[in-house]
């Protein structure tokens, strides 16, 4: 086995440094050791003896795409995070994102109905109205933690609409549980609980909502995702409650945290690059789609996904051995200078902009990419139309190697500017 790379991208210390500092390390890896063998990642989720021996860090855009599109060679079933989770927790809480075909194909198939073009169109109008309502509810105040009051609420409410969750306690648990499920390394969450308990408690909170919904929908089926799930059959059997619970946890994390943090990074980017904001405001409809894609590339909200090698495979001059683990670093691929000109510039006119923020393709490609983009589009349009002088203060970032998260973002604006 190769020796460990001196550029360690698996330590907590590394992930505590700012994005720009980390990117310099990734740039060096892309240039000199694009597929590097890394030591065991720091982890507080499992005992050290259960932790992985090491992993391959995949940092180039084309390698990430190649691996993503070979699901028979690169499996999801051993987990998706750099850090290992105890098996029962992983299987119980992450559903089809930690499965391969055929189970993955079946479960993903059930949810896919919810993402039909017809449903997306209905949701689009609804999303726009919700964005406007949320902004108008905070606009008179002139200041807010925009994460708490806007970016967290928007995907949270849309997610609840998928499952027709209306009961206030369940809405609360779904939104808070989704936030907690990706926060197992963050001091705000680990001050009271061990990291594994942060994850497990969040999963339980979400599963409880799922069980209550499932019980209700079996008696009162409707036109919502939970009604389809309780009715779905695979190999002649219906899903058990624990499978439904895992499914709900996956959907909550995937739908909420990603979109929320992408929006916050967008606001930070427009603050850091005022000329890009001026350009956007000069012709909103012309630049909006480009802005959405550039915010996505820039934010790389999911920093990595993990895979497990199922058979020896040659790539980039290295042999990945059966049983090895690897991490696809989307954050690095999205700054790959062989693909993106001036990758460290935020440029809403970038064209083409073939970012891999939703994954590198293949069967696990983000199921909610259309919806995520829709939410971002309406959020950007309405925020900058209704709060054109929005000014952003110091962000507070989530401590995580998985989610490029913004926990808090103080913002001010003039209530009487904008439409
Ligand atoms: C900015 C928003 C979003 C980003 C950046 C994002 C990113 C991703 C990424 C990187 C993956 C893994 C891809 C892979 O392994 O190849 C993924 C998977 C997934 N996403 Fe998203 N996502 C977003 C929004 C959403 C939304 C709104 C939903 C649902 C309403 C959603 C549902 C899912 C699901 C269910 C999966 C698992 C797919 C599978 O394993 O087959 N995502 N997403």
């Amino acid at each position: 086995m190769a020796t460990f790379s001196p550029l360690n991208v698996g330590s907590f210390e590394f992930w505590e440094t700012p994005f720009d500092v980390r990117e310099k390390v990734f740039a060096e890896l892309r240039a000199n050791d694009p597929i590097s063998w890394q030591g065991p990642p720091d982890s507080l989720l499992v005992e050290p003896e259960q932790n992985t021996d090491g992993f391959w860090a995949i940092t180039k855009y084309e390698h990430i795409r190649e691996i993503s599109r070979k699901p028979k060679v690169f499996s999801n079933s051993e987990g998706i995070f750099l850090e290992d989770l105890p098996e029962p927790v992983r299987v119980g809480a992450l559903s089809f994102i930690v499965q391969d075909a055929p189970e993955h194909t079946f479960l993903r198939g059930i949810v896919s109905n919810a993402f039909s073009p017809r449903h997306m169109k209905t949701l689009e109008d609804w999303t726009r109205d919700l964005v406007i309502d949320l902004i108008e509810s905070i606009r008179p105040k002139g200041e807010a933690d925009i994460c708490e009051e806007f970016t967290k609420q928007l995907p949270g409410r849309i997610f609840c609409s998928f499952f027709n969750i209306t009961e206030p306690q369940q809405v609360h648990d779904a939104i808070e549980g989704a936030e907690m499920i990706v926060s197992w390394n963050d001091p705000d969450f680990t001050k009271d609980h061990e990291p594994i308990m942060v994850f497990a408690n969040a999963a339980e909170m979400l599963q409880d909502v799922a069980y209550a919904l499932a019980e209700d929908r079996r008696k009162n089926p409707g036109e919502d995702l939970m009604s389809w799930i309780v009715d779905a059959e695979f190999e002649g059997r219906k899903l058990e409650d624990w499978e439904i619970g895992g499914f709900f946890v996956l959907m909550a994390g995937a739908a909420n945290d990603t979109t929320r943090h992408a929006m916050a990074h967008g606001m930070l980017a427009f603050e850091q690059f005022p000329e890009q904001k001026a350009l956007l405001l000069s012709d909103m409809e012309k630049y909006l789609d480009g802005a959405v894609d550039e915010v996505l590339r820039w934010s790389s909200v999911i920093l990595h996904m993990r895979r497990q090698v199922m058979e020896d495979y040659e790539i980039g001059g290295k042999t990945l051995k059966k049983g090895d683990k690897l991490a696809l670093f989307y954050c690095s691929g999205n700054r790959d200078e062989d693909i993106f000109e001036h990758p460290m510039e935020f440029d809403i006119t970038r064209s083409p902009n073939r970012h891999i923020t939703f994954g590198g393709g293949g069967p696990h490609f983000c199921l909610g990419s259309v919806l995520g983009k829709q939410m971002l589009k309406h959020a950007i349009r309405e925020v900058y139309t209704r709060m054109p002088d929005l000014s952003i203060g110091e962000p507070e970032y989530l401590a995580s190697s998985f989610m490029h998260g913004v926990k808090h973002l103080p913002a001010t604006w003039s209530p009487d500017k904008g439409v």
Side-chain angles (χ1 to χ4, degrees):
M1 183 51 77
T3 48
F4 295 148
S5 168
L7 298 173
N8 177 356
V9 298
S11 70
F12 289 144
E13 206 183 354
F14 175 73
W15 291 101
E16 275 159 19
T17 56
F19 189 97
D20 288 7
V21 176
R22 298 200 300 255
E23 166 46 28
K24 289 199 175 77
V25 175
F26 281 120
E28 205 177 325
L29 285 172
R30 285 196 302 274
N32 303 317
D33 196 7
I35 299 184
S36 63
W37 180 244
Q38 300 276 330
D42 284 348
S43 175
L44 294 170
L45 292 175
V46 289
E47 297 301 326
E49 59 275 15
Q50 295 171 323
N51 197 10
T52 177
D53 297 338
F55 67 97
W56 294 102
I58 314 294
T59 54
K60 292 288 282 177
Y61 179 96
E62 290 298 0
H63 292 154
I64 294 172
R65 279 173 46 92
E66 182 176 334
I67 290 171
S68 301
R69 286 152 194 253
K70 292 213 152 51
K72 287 196 177 130
V73 184
F74 300 103
S75 161
N76 276 40
S77 65
E78 294 292 315
I80 52 164
F81 308 134
L82 216 52
E83 294 161 76
D84 279 303
L85 279 170
E87 192 186 343
V89 180
R90 180 181 77 234
V91 173
L94 293 176
S95 188
F96 63 91
I97 203 166
V98 291
Q99 289 176 341
D100 301 321
E103 292 83 359
H104 167 263
T105 321
F106 162 72
L107 274 176
R108 183 171 164 126
I110 300 176
V111 219
S112 299
N113 288 338
F115 295 87
S116 67
R118 187 179 58 86
H119 199 191
M120 285 301 103
K121 179 75 197 97
T122 316
L123 266 184
E124 169 136 39
D125 299 337
W126 198 76
T127 303
R128 186 173 165 273
D129 292 347
L130 184 56
V131 168
I132 295 173
D133 280 357
L134 281 171
I135 294 176
E136 289 305 321
S137 71
I138 59 170
R139 189 151 77 133
K141 295 203 284 189
E143 63 176 336
D145 174 352
I146 203 100
C147 284
E148 203 51 53
E149 300 201 35
F150 178 64
T151 63
K152 181 169 157 181
Q153 299 303 326
L154 176 64
R157 308 264 186 102
I158 304 251
F159 171 76
C160 288
S161 84
F162 261 55
F163 288 90
N164 195 17
I165 305 173
T166 50
E167 205 260 297
Q169 187 61 43
Q170 290 184 336
V171 172
H172 169 272
D173 288 358
I175 296 178
E176 297 303 319
E179 177 173 44
M180 225 163 97
I181 198 89
V182 292
S183 303
W184 67 86
N185 275 336
D186 192 88
D188 277 355
F189 294 83
T190 53
K191 65 179 188 300
D192 298 324
H193 299 284
E194 293 291 313
I196 186 64
M197 291 316 294
V198 173
F199 189 93
N201 289 344
E204 197 181 328
M205 193 169 176
L206 293 166
Q207 282 157 344
D208 284 347
V209 176
Y211 298 150
L213 290 176
E215 195 183 335
D216 178 69
R217 300 304 190 270
R218 285 189 186 109
K219 292 181 208 137
N220 310 301
E223 279 298 304
D224 64 277
L225 202 41
M226 188 56 85
S227 298
W228 298 335
I229 292 167
V230 294
D231 203 35
E233 283 193 16
F234 181 49
E235 294 178 345
R237 72 169 180 90
K238 288 202 192 306
L239 297 180
E240 293 178 28
D241 266 8
W242 71 269
E243 292 170 299
I244 293 174
F247 193 95
F248 188 79
V249 177
L250 165 63
M251 291 298 291
N256 281 298
D257 299 297
T258 49
T259 319
R260 149 190 186 174
H261 296 307
M263 281 186 239
H265 281 294
M267 292 179 197
L268 278 162
F270 282 116
E271 183 81 8
Q272 191 188 339
F273 297 88
E275 76 292 347
Q276 293 294 308
K277 180 175 160 187
L279 191 64
L280 176 74
L281 288 176
S282 72
D283 191 339
M284 183 62 85
E285 292 317 309
K286 178 171 172 193
Y287 293 112
L288 191 54
D289 287 337
V292 169
D293 275 315
E294 185 63 346
V295 165
L296 284 163
R297 184 191 74 88
W298 189 252
S299 61
S300 285
V301 276
I302 292 192
L303 295 158
H304 74 264
M305 281 279 167
R306 194 177 105 184
R307 299 289 192 266
Q308 174 109 343
V309 184
M310 304 306 282
E311 58 189 64
D312 291 5
Y313 190 82
E314 303 278 334
I315 183 169
K318 298 277 169 87
T319 305
L320 314 189
K321 292 281 187 195
K322 181 177 176 184
D324 287 353
K325 288 171 186 158
L326 59 85
L328 305 168
F329 284 108
Y330 305 126
C331 52
S332 175
N334 273 337
R335 298 288 191 278
D336 188 337
E337 34 295 279
D338 287 343
I339 306 293
F340 302 100
E341 261 180 53
H342 310 297
M344 291 309 284
E345 280 172 27
F346 177 74
D347 176 5
I348 62 173
T349 65
R350 190 180 290 283
S351 177
N353 190 344
R354 295 178 294 126
H355 61 78
I356 44 174
T357 307
F358 292 119
H364 291 277
F365 185 79
C366 176
L367 192 57
S369 61
V370 172
L371 181 61
K373 280 178 103 160
Q374 240 169 240
M375 284 192 251
L376 265 176
K377 182 174 166 178
H378 291 298
I380 294 173
R381 184 202 280 120
E382 300 306 330
V383 163
Y384 289 108
T385 307
R386 287 161 200 273
M387 300 164 160
D389 65 345
L390 182 82
S391 170
I392 299 294
E394 221 23 62
E396 213 184 297
Y397 292 106
L398 182 74
S400 170
S401 62
F402 181 71
M403 185 65 68
H404 189 201
V406 187
K407 279 189 299 186
H408 301 290
L409 198 55
T412 55
W413 59 88
S414 311
D416 51 355
K417 286 213 173 135
V419 296

